Amino acid sequence: MCGIVGYVGFQEALPIIISGLEKLEYRGYDSAGVAVYGNGKVSVTRAIGKLGELKKLLNERSAEAGGSLGIGHTRWATHGKPSENNAHPHTAGRVSLIHNGIVENYVELREELEKEGSQFKSETDTEIAAHLVNKYLNKGLDPFDALKAACADIRGSYAFLAIDSQNPDRILVAKNSTPIIIGIGKNEMFVASDIPAVLPYTREVVILEDGDMADVRCDGVRIENNGKPVQRKVQTITWDPITAQKGGYKHYMLKEIHEQAQAVTDTFRGRVEQEEGAISLPELAFDDKELAGIQRIVFVACGTAWHACLVAKFYIESFTQIPCEVDYASEFRYRQAVFDKNTLVIAVSQSGETADTLAAIELAGTRSPTMAVCNVLGSSIARKVGNVLFTHAGPEISVASTKAFTTQLVAVYLLAIYLAQRRGTLAPEKVGELTHSLLHLPAAIQQAVEVNSAVEKVAQRFRGAKDFLYLGRGICYPIALEGALKLKEISYVHAEGYPAGEMKHGPIALIDENMPVVVLLQRSKELFEKTISNLREVEARGGKIIAVTDFEGSKELHALTQNVIEVPFVSDFLSPLIMTIPLQLLAYHIAVFNGTDVDLPRNLAKSVTVE
Ligand code: F6R
């Protein structure tokens, strides 16, 4: 996820671009850059770090001042570490280009372009797009057609903005699976990844659709889709600036819950070979000998990431038969943990900066091969380990983790299938089945998010409860833990997660009419029936049941409680991803009813960089 802004008109472009980028910093902030046309040429300035660093640099120079055409970018790295060279805009000949998205076939395109003489200055997937557009310009194509031709070569997701130094009155735009809007002014036009960037200047907005290409000039916009001219409706935005920043949602947490279908897609995009039914993770540089030598896997993490590791254990053991353990990072280093050259130690961390996880993986690296599953390129953990599998959740602003968790689950699922493929522990048909089920996940997550108003009603019914018990079995037990953690951290209500079968060994003593029991029921016949038996024990003691299930229309369950939240079924292994969504929403709504500061809960920090 990155933020992009463009301006063409009669005003000075630079202040408008910078103010737009300030509104979009929530989309990425590891580096930023601008390209502005003025005095007969395009000047590019880029800086690593937050936008403030770029502003400082721009204050020291004046090359960009005065021009009234420009583009700007705030980056969240996906390919290539955060650095000045990898920051956007990328330039090639006449072209300056910015990008939000992922070019899946960039390796092969880069090889072809290099053979043709292009010289690359960055490690990014984006730079190939600048070279492609320049190549087509050099063949005599109009800039709009050159971008079109480039997009025909590219596979992946993108919002591209390009300017051509020989046509300094146009911004060329292309969109596929990544948001882009055009703000309509009077003799001026604004382009951005999100509405807040243009709101100070105009409330008239066109939202582009997938496949749209736009030729934006100060006095009009030409839009084509599939080579044919199309009209897109001009919408009038009535949001106030703060609501706009949160995409119209009341809190970042709710916005991020709704972003999960996209974040999950971004995480498996380019890693699933649909035709072969296989997983491709070229970023992992394990050689065959190294892989064959792995006799044990140990995951280390904290909090929500630790819950993702508990699900990972199911994936690893089921697909690869490699024994797997999960340790709290804070515990791993304060005991005589056993690990050696045949143990692969994997850190899972959204931020890549959690002090305990960093220290644990540093210690592991003294004796074992290490890797990380991480959301932040260039973070301390990502730099410390041999191999990194990045989640592509984009920045998570709410302190309570939501989309980082579901993307971690996708990443460890990909990893487990990949290891199984390389070690030959699953039949190719099984690999194909597991791989293809991923493709159904985004739609199922989207449907699960739509239970929002049903969950809100349940939350209203139970808003006054002082304690909650969360129960799950098998692969959904970690989700019970995660649901309980979400409730604790944002609503300050006590909650505990338990394996459903363990209830009778202690927690059952707590159950009475004041104790809501949130239970996860997977469709799997054996576990469903066993969990129903556990619920009868709850019912017999007057406990109130809130059930989340991917088994539609179970009479037994509906007879036990009126609080049943049904979500779609994709596969047994992907159930945890979908079951998580109603639990995130339940915690969210109870917190809102309790009037807590949902996005910034008391005593918590987004990244725990101290022990
Ligand atoms: C809970 C939450 C925390 C983090 C934990 C690890 O919502 O966000 O429990 O999961 O602090 O953080 P990372 O993943 O950044 O290492």
Side-chain angles (χ1 to χ4, degrees):
M1 200 149 103
C2 302
I4 63 187
V5 179
Y7 175 80
V8 55
F10 56 88
Q11 302 190 59
E12 191 182 345
L14 189 58
I16 295 174
I17 292 168
I18 295 295
S19 96
L21 292 179
E22 280 166 352
K23 307 281 182 328
L24 297 182
E25 230 183 341
Y26 77 89
R27 299 181 66 84
Y29 41 72
D30 60 46
S31 51
V34 293
V36 175
Y37 181 85
N39 302 321
K41 63 176 179 34
V42 173
S43 308
V44 175
T45 304
R46 304 180 296 179
I48 186 167
K50 292 199 169 178
L51 200 55
E53 299 303 316
L54 177 71
K55 287 200 261 183
K56 268 191 235 156
L57 214 59
L58 287 164
N59 283 341
E60 289 160 16
R61 34 179 292 174
S62 55
E64 281 82 358
S68 53
L69 169 80
I71 52 178
H73 187 270
T74 174
R75 180 167 187 246
W76 181 260
T78 57
H79 291 76
K81 61 185 176 297
S83 70
E84 193 186 323
N85 266 356
N86 289 337
H88 303 208
H90 291 283
T91 48
R94 291 158 52 181
V95 179
S96 302
L97 179 141
I98 54 180
H99 171 215
N100 173 27
I102 296 167
V103 177
E104 289 171 18
N105 55 339
Y106 83 102
V107 175
E108 55 204 80
L109 288 174
R110 183 167 169 147
E111 274 169 19
E112 276 169 36
L113 286 160
E114 276 173 337
K115 271 190 215 137
E116 290 165 17
S118 294
Q119 287 187 354
F120 284 81
K121 291 164 257 168
S122 78
E123 305 153 341
T124 64
D125 52 337
T126 302
E127 194 184 352
I128 64 103
H131 283 276
L132 277 175
V133 179
N134 189 51
K135 168 176 132 178
Y136 289 116
L137 282 176
N138 288 341
K139 289 190 172 172
L141 261 59
D142 167 82
F144 188 57
D145 294 330
L147 181 60
K148 247 197 276 182
C151 289
D153 294 342
I154 287 170
R155 213 174 52 236
S157 64
Y158 48 77
F160 288 125
L161 261 59
I163 56 175
D164 168 17
S165 59
Q166 294 187 15
N167 285 276
D169 56 349
R170 300 159 75 178
I171 302 175
L172 296 320
V173 182
K175 178 207 174 333
N176 187 40
S177 301
T178 304
I180 200 88
I181 59 121
I182 299 174
I184 313 286
K186 243 191 198 148
N187 262 324
E188 56 181 352
M189 296 287 169
F190 309 82
V191 190
S193 336
D194 201 357
I195 292 169
V198 307
L199 274 192
Y201 311 100
T202 178
R203 291 193 163 258
E204 306 292 293
V205 161
V206 168
I207 299 173
L208 293 187
E209 292 184 12
D210 281 346
D212 281 357
M213 314 273 313
D215 190 351
V216 183
R217 302 174 194 233
C218 62
D219 55 355
V221 181
R222 172 163 64 110
I223 306 175
E224 284 187 11
N225 194 304
N226 254 327
K228 297 207 179 67
V230 285
Q231 295 289 334
R232 299 280 173 233
K233 203 169 118 211
V234 178
Q235 310 191 22
T236 305
I237 305 297
T238 52
W239 296 337
D240 64 77
I242 292 181
T243 312
Q245 192 75 17
K246 294 175 184 158
Y249 297 100
K250 204 167 161 195
H251 296 98
Y252 282 110
M253 183 182 176
L254 191 58
K255 177 170 183 271
E256 287 162 2
I257 290 173
H258 280 79
E259 281 170 359
Q260 290 179 103
Q262 183 67 49
V264 154
T265 311
D266 289 344
T267 300
F268 70 68
R269 187 190 295 284
R271 291 165 166 171
V272 171
E273 289 173 7
Q274 281 190 48
E275 271 168 36
E276 293 84 353
I279 300 298
S280 143
L281 299 175
E283 59 267 66
L284 301 186
F286 293 116
D287 63 35
D288 288 343
K289 196 167 153 233
E290 243 179 313
L291 266 191
I294 299 173
Q295 289 171 7
R296 190 168 150 253
I297 291 179
V298 175
F299 281 95
V300 288
C302 303
T304 287
W306 184 78
H307 297 151
C309 297
L310 294 179
V311 177
K313 177 179 162 74
F314 276 84
Y315 295 154
I316 296 284
E317 292 187 341
S318 306
F319 304 166
T320 70
Q321 283 94 55
I322 301 172
C324 179
E325 286 159 42
V326 179
D327 224 331
Y328 280 117
S330 53
E331 293 291 319
F332 178 77
R333 55 200 188 105
Y334 291 117
R335 64 183 167 81
Q336 301 300 313
V338 179
F339 55 97
D340 58 18
K341 64 180 184 5
N342 298 320
T343 310
L344 173 64
V345 183
I346 306 178
V348 177
S349 172
Q350 184 285 128
S351 61
E353 300 297 344
T354 301
D356 285 320
T357 312
L358 178 60
I361 205 71
E362 271 173 346
L363 172 65
T366 58
R367 271 179 269 161
S368 290
T370 56
M371 75 165 278
V373 171
C374 185
N375 193 37
V376 183
L377 247 90
S379 58
S380 305
I381 291 173
R383 282 185 278 120
K384 198 54 73 187
V385 296
N387 284 289
V388 191
L389 183 59
F390 286 103
T391 51
H392 294 314
E396 198 177 52
I397 294 179
S398 163
V399 165
S401 196
T402 54
K403 61 177 182 167
F405 178 64
T406 39
T407 55
Q408 281 163 356
L409 295 187
V410 169
V412 293
Y413 183 78
L414 293 170
L415 175 67
I417 302 175
Y418 172 80
L419 291 176
Q421 265 169 217
R422 295 264 321 251
R423 291 169 59 114
T425 49
L426 284 179
E429 307 78 60
K430 187 68 191 167
V431 169
E433 183 196 311
L434 293 169
T435 301
H436 280 124
S437 55
L438 261 176
L439 305 177
H440 302 287
L441 192 58
I445 289 184
Q446 199 50 46
Q447 261 177 279
V449 170
E450 282 157 22
V451 300
N452 187 30
S453 49
V455 176
E456 188 177 6
K457 284 192 193 113
V458 172
Q460 184 152 30
R461 241 168 258 153
F462 293 96
R463 56 191 285 188
K466 299 271 175 288
D467 302 278
F468 282 71
L469 189 61
Y470 282 67
L471 302 176
R473 275 182 179 267
I475 201 167
C476 280
Y477 159 55
I479 305 307
L481 295 178
E482 174 60 8
L485 178 64
K486 285 286 94 81
L487 187 71
K488 279 186 270 210
E489 55 180 340
I490 60 168
S491 71
Y492 319 148
V493 172
H494 172 245
E496 273 189 72
Y498 254 92
E502 273 294 297
M503 192 184 64
K504 56 187 172 297
H505 298 287
I508 198 164
L510 293 169
I511 291 174
D512 62 17
E513 60 284 1
N514 299 316
M515 170 73 99
V517 178
V518 183
V519 66
L520 299 164
L521 294 105
Q522 265 194 295
R523 179 168 152 152
S524 133
K525 194 166 181 316
E526 200 193 2
L527 292 186
F528 189 88
E529 280 168 7
K530 281 197 189 307
T531 312
I532 290 278
S533 307
N534 298 138
L535 291 187
R536 293 198 197 291
E537 294 159 11
V538 172
E539 190 202 24
R541 285 154 187 87
K544 304 280 182 310
I545 298 165
I546 302 168
V548 175
T549 184
D550 55 10
F551 186 8
E552 222 179 291
S554 155
K555 287 203 182 94
E556 276 173 296
L557 183 58
H558 284 267
L560 276 167
T561 170
Q562 55 162 323
N563 307 304
V564 180
I565 316 265
E566 290 180 349
V567 291
F569 173 79
V570 168
S571 74
D572 286 341
F573 285 113
L574 293 177
S575 256
L577 277 116
I578 303 164
M579 299 276 214
T580 300
I581 314 278
L583 301 193
Q584 296 169 344
L585 289 167
L586 183 66
Y588 172 77
H589 287 296
I590 291 181
V592 171
F593 284 129
N594 287 358
T596 59
D597 190 347
V598 173
D599 285 331
L600 286 172
R602 69 185 181 200
N603 309 338
L604 292 176
K606 184 69 191 157
S607 181
V608 185
T609 52
V610 289
E611 248 198 85

